Amino acid sequence: MVPVRHAAALAEGHALDDGPTGHPQVTAIWVILDGDLVVTSLASVRQKLKNLTAHPQATVFAIDPANPYRTLEVRGDVTIEPDPEFETLKKVLRAYGTDLASFPGPLEGRVTITLRPTRVVALG
């Protein structure tokens, strides 16, 4: 479970997964908490989706911008679900103070990525 005092750090999260060569791939990514789950939206054209489809495990690592000694690492198993109505994308965008009309990223083939934590390391 993600401690409440560390949840704000997710605003600065980075997702790590295995790339096609087996090397780690890290991407700055917007995520939201849904209970104990970490959720985001990805477009089908993104390498991260290809990586997660091949290896459905990931880590989200975040540093609290208000306290650089407070960090959060969430490791877990990933599920991928279609998001044809952009419901997850809209929730993520709303959490970051924007909306679908202002979103510059691709909309085709959006999916919901849900990370079910198997390990949480909260420091600081």
Side-chain angles (χ1 to χ4, degrees):
M1 180 173 190
V2 174
V4 173
R5 69 182 188 162
H6 286 77
L10 284 175
E12 302 296 323
H14 294 78
L16 170 72
D17 57 68
D18 289 330
T21 64
H23 292 86
Q25 184 211 18
V26 179
T27 305
I29 192 167
W30 286 357
V31 298
I32 56 173
L33 282 176
D34 182 4
D36 289 339
L37 305 175
V38 179
V39 179
T40 194
S41 174
L42 290 178
S44 60
V45 297
R46 300 292 188 214
Q47 182 63 47
K48 183 147 305 294
L49 179 58
K50 295 171 187 169
N51 297 345
L52 291 172
T53 299
H55 304 282
Q57 299 86 29
T59 298
V60 173
F61 181 78
I63 300 172
D64 187 337
N67 178 355
Y69 297 102
R70 181 175 294 152
T71 62
L72 177 66
E73 176 187 7
V74 182
R75 299 180 198 173
D77 299 314
V78 169
T79 58
I80 303 167
E81 300 287 332
D83 187 20
E85 302 298 320
F86 312 121
E87 294 306 315
T88 299
L89 178 59
K90 290 174 190 175
K91 288 178 189 175
V92 171
L93 292 173
R94 193 168 33 254
Y96 287 83
T98 190
D99 59 21
L100 198 57
S102 303
F103 182 61
L107 295 176
E108 288 184 39
R110 295 305 296 197
V111 297
T112 297
I113 304 295
T114 303
L115 178 77
R116 296 181 190 288
T118 57
R119 179 167 166 81
V120 176
V121 179
L123 301 174

